[in-house]
Amino acid sequence: MAYSAYWNPKNETLPRDDLQRLQLTTLRRLAEWAYANSPFHRTRWEAAGFHPDQLKTLDDLRRIPYMTREEWMASIAAAPLFGDLPATAAENAIRYHLTSGTSGRTPIRVLDGTKDWEWIAEMWCYGLWGFGVRPEDIVYVAFGYGQFIGFWGLHYAAEKIGALTIPGGAQPTEARVKMIVEMGATTVASTPTYALRLWQQASEMGIDLAKDSKVNKLILSGEPAGSIPAVKRQLEEAWGAKCGDTAGMTEVGTIMLFECEKQPGGTHIIEDHYIEEVINPMTEEPVGYGELGERVVTSFGRGFIPVLRYRTKDMVLKVPHTACACGRTGDIYEGGIRGRWDDMKLIRGTNVYPRAVEAIVREYDAIDEFQIYIWRNDIRDEITIKVELKPGREAEWPALGDELRQALADAHENLHFLIERVEPGTLPRFELKARRLVDARPVAVYHQ
Ligand SMILES: [Zn+2]
């Protein structure tokens, strides 16, 4: 059967003028809803002199004050459990989720109603369909199905598309590998880290996923690595499948970005449901195409928790939709989400971004796993890259270590990196999000 390449053929190919008209209409409706029903927004907007009536053109969006995670957390602390952001009463909710709470922060708690969940699934449908998932597919979801929102929306989207959907809930990795093979799964949803882990486990079981499984698509989410070329190459080769990057966040409940089948080296923005601005994080002024900045998201779909001009701290670089041949008119974040502005580490005066380090380390095929370990040697900050080699590749050491040290120095103003080889299986592997950065410097004397 011949399918359309698009989940929503009309909206995904709207001429930019029409798209922007649609955005303005939807933005007005959202702002009116938030003003009338969310005390969080109304209070801040009144203080800033903003009223939804001021939204005459799309540029008027900039009259709305930015919203930060800190403000959201403060509202939750002042009025537990949910703060004053929700625009409707808690009894209208059908689900409760919270952020994964990485780096020890207070988790953000969210409630969603029935319509919100329909929308959450709809957004994932754009992404799954856009990467080629069809009713004939068998989708295995390698996800814990807990309170972290993660792939819940993907699960519903796969069902909505009509694919056979397998919830890989509380299964250990070995059982997951077996089921992927046994059920003839064609599509696997996972974090990039866990997709590697599944492949390693399969190898230990004598299973070559590229040959012994029917998987032809990996849908990646949860970490920026899905758009790092070396990681993508490695995964595509290991699984004998195409890897499609997506990105979402608990604050929005679903994905905003997805990679289409043409794999243009980045992710399309779902612009009929979001406005994605890119700003200079210091000056807060907008930056143009091709300039690195922080993404600021306005989401049209979630009625319970209206999110307008939310500062994500995600590092992105926007390019026009014409960079892809698929015909979608949604612009593209080249390289997907490139990390977080607040992940930056200052080592002896040089800025180090974990994602940039990862992109370099992953160019070395013999490296199985790694960790960025930052520590203090007396009064001097040091950065050590701990690496595990793949079995059978030991002979490439120490030359590989020297090469890696040089490549990292070249990309970091000649900063000296220490390279340490550790035994296989020493470094932690995580299912949801890899913690490949450890900052062990004493906190009391550490100022970034
Ligand atoms: Zn495309």
Side-chain angles (χ1 to χ4, degrees):
M1 171 170 179
Y3 294 109
S4 163
Y6 316 103
W7 174 251
N8 185 335
K10 179 166 179 280
N11 281 9
E12 289 185 71
T13 56
L14 270 186
R16 296 284 305 172
D17 286 354
D18 294 339
L19 182 57
Q20 283 164 359
R21 257 192 296 279
L22 173 67
Q23 287 181 322
L24 178 60
T25 311
T26 322
L27 174 65
R28 278 201 203 113
R29 206 179 303 144
L30 172 72
E32 282 160 12
W33 165 258
Y35 186 79
N37 299 293
S38 166
F40 177 90
H41 286 303
R42 191 170 56 247
T43 313
R44 289 162 53 258
W45 293 357
E46 280 173 352
F50 170 74
H51 188 278
D53 287 350
Q54 295 167 357
L55 295 170
K56 308 281 187 217
T57 71
L58 215 45
D59 282 343
D60 293 324
L61 171 70
R62 293 179 58 196
R63 295 169 181 264
I64 303 177
Y66 292 119
M67 167 185 173
T68 64
R69 186 191 169 103
E70 289 70 30
E71 290 172 305
W72 191 343
M73 288 197 301
S75 94
I76 288 173
L81 295 166
F82 301 100
D84 60 355
L85 180 59
T88 180
E91 55 264 33
N92 295 326
I94 58 163
R95 278 278 280 283
Y96 167 65
H97 281 284
L98 70 174
T99 51
S100 53
T102 43
S103 52
R105 298 186 296 185
T106 316
I108 294 262
R109 300 188 181 91
V110 294
L111 292 174
D112 286 293
T114 308
K115 273 175 71 177
D116 297 326
W117 270 98
E118 281 169 10
W119 175 77
I120 288 169
E122 180 72 5
M123 293 304 92
W124 272 105
C125 282
Y126 275 62
L128 289 184
W129 192 272
F131 201 65
V133 175
R134 296 294 179 267
E136 295 75 22
D137 275 301
I138 299 176
V139 181
Y140 182 90
V141 189
F143 170 60
Y145 289 86
Q147 286 174 346
F148 175 55
I149 207 160
F151 286 113
W152 277 103
L154 175 140
H155 176 100
Y156 295 128
E159 288 185 356
K160 190 167 170 176
I161 284 172
L164 177 60
T165 310
I166 308 171
Q171 289 180 306
T173 304
E174 193 174 344
R176 284 176 166 162
V177 169
K178 275 189 193 150
M179 189 162 283
I180 287 166
V181 175
E182 181 183 291
M183 290 297 293
T186 57
T187 305
V188 170
S190 152
T191 60
T193 299
Y194 195 65
L196 273 178
R197 176 76 196 99
L198 281 166
W199 171 74
Q200 284 162 344
Q201 179 71 48
S203 305
E204 284 166 26
M205 293 159 69
I207 294 172
D208 177 356
L209 286 171
K211 290 204 187 79
D212 304 333
S213 86
K214 293 197 172 134
V215 180
N216 53 34
K217 293 177 287 295
L218 285 177
I219 306 290
L220 304 176
S221 208
E223 296 165 326
S227 280
I228 296 178
V231 175
K232 192 189 274 288
R233 273 202 311 276
Q234 190 179 356
L235 282 173
E236 291 196 330
E237 200 176 302
W239 282 77
K242 283 173 70 170
C243 289
D245 190 19
T246 66
M249 57 203 298
T250 303
E251 292 94 320
V252 165
T254 183
I255 55 167
M256 304 79 46
L257 318 168
F258 69 91
E259 181 174 354
C260 71
E261 274 184 286
K262 302 275 183 201
Q263 295 189 298
T267 46
H268 285 283
I269 302 166
I270 307 176
E271 291 201 72
D272 53 329
H273 289 272
Y274 298 96
I275 298 176
E276 288 268 341
E277 301 169 82
V278 185
I279 64 167
N280 177 318
M282 307 300 173
T283 65
E284 304 191 334
E285 288 298 312
V287 304
Y289 283 134
E291 266 184 82
L292 207 58
E294 175 185 348
R295 54 176 283 266
V296 174
V297 62
T298 296
S299 142
F300 297 146
R302 213 179 200 181
F304 230 101
I305 300 165
V307 165
L308 292 100
R309 301 201 88 203
Y310 182 68
R311 297 276 304 258
T312 65
K313 296 183 181 168
D314 287 337
M315 200 185 291
V316 288
L317 184 146
K318 196 191 271 187
V319 296
H321 65 94
T322 45
C324 184
C326 73
R328 285 181 180 80
T329 50
D331 282 341
I332 293 169
Y333 284 138
E334 191 185 284
I337 289 176
R338 296 172 173 232
R340 293 178 54 79
W341 286 98
D342 55 1
D343 279 349
M344 188 199 82
K345 296 290 173 185
L346 194 62
I347 312 292
R348 302 196 298 272
T350 298
N351 293 342
V352 177
Y353 289 100
R355 198 243 194 215
V357 172
E358 173 160 16
I360 293 169
V361 174
R362 290 296 189 196
E363 289 294 336
Y364 296 86
D365 183 51
I367 296 176
D368 198 18
E369 189 51 80
F370 75 100
Q371 186 181 66
I372 303 167
Y373 189 80
I374 299 170
W375 53 291
R376 183 159 294 142
N377 185 3
D378 194 8
I379 54 160
R380 181 183 150 103
D381 286 342
E382 300 285 2
I383 182 164
T384 300
I385 309 299
K386 300 184 180 185
V387 300
E388 283 179 22
L389 296 186
K390 286 181 186 158
R393 308 293 291 268
E394 294 81 3
E396 295 174 45
W397 199 265
L400 187 154
D402 295 336
E403 256 182 67
L404 177 60
R405 181 183 305 110
Q406 193 56 48
L408 286 165
D410 289 347
H412 291 89
E413 302 167 336
N414 282 324
L415 180 68
H416 183 71
F417 286 73
L418 302 165
I419 312 289
E420 180 186 336
R421 182 179 155 198
V422 299
E423 289 302 309
T426 314
L427 298 174
R429 286 165 172 83
F430 294 89
E431 173 176 350
L432 282 173
K433 296 186 184 199
R435 289 174 185 80
R436 293 203 175 88
L437 175 75
V438 175
D439 192 339
R441 291 177 290 189
V443 174
V445 287
Y446 164 54
H447 302 285
Q448 186 168 291

